[in-house]
Amino acid sequence: MKPLKRPARRAILVVHVAASAGWLGLTLGLLALALTAWTTGSAPAVEASYRSMKVFTDWLLLPLAFLTLLSGLVLSLGTKWGLARHWWIAIKFWLTLATITASVFALRPGVNDAADSVASGTVVVDPRDLVMGPAVSLTAYLFMTVVSVLKPWGLTRRGRRLRVAVSAPKSVDGRSARQTA
């Protein structure tokens, strides 16, 4: 991919930060609603919590998650950072994929089942499951935020290889120069 020009890079960075913060905030809200449903003794509060969680997971969760993933990919591929040059970026990428997968295949179906249960007047079997999903996701997002700020762990093997290739002296004919002495 061609390097992004400064205005495009900055715009995509703003989109990425806003989507990531929105995803983190949404997860915090889902955690608060799940805790409310789990700890309250009020049937109307339980029903309202699960119905609210369903609205959030149906309409906001996946668009924010995929916008975060897409903008992060564009930034990594369109800047000097690269997708596989630095450990912190590779780890963020894989954690993002893992949390999106967990959201699609575990959280959303669990929230839908809970909302259907309370709508039909039955009790949710294990409300802790709906607390654990957002709690684990929130931990992952906070970890990714810290990693984004601190940028630890240095270059991957590919990143070191690319750095050496870029910094190696070239001869006039394009082959690398070898030292003879």
Side-chain angles (χ1 to χ4, degrees), residues 72-141:
L73 280 172
V74 171
L75 281 172
S76 66
L77 297 174
T79 63
K80 67 176 181 170
W81 294 106
L83 184 59
R85 291 182 186 179
H86 298 270
W87 280 112
W88 67 273
I89 295 173
I91 288 170
K92 278 183 58 177
F93 172 73
W94 289 109
L95 266 176
T96 300
L97 285 180
T99 53
I100 288 173
T101 302
S103 295
V104 168
F105 294 110
L107 182 63
R108 283 188 74 211
V111 168
N112 288 337
D113 290 345
D116 292 343
S117 293
V118 296
S120 67
T122 59
V123 177
V124 175
V125 178
D126 194 4
R128 282 182 299 179
D129 290 345
L130 294 176
V131 172
M132 293 310 295
V136 170
S137 294
L138 183 63
T139 303
Y141 306 148

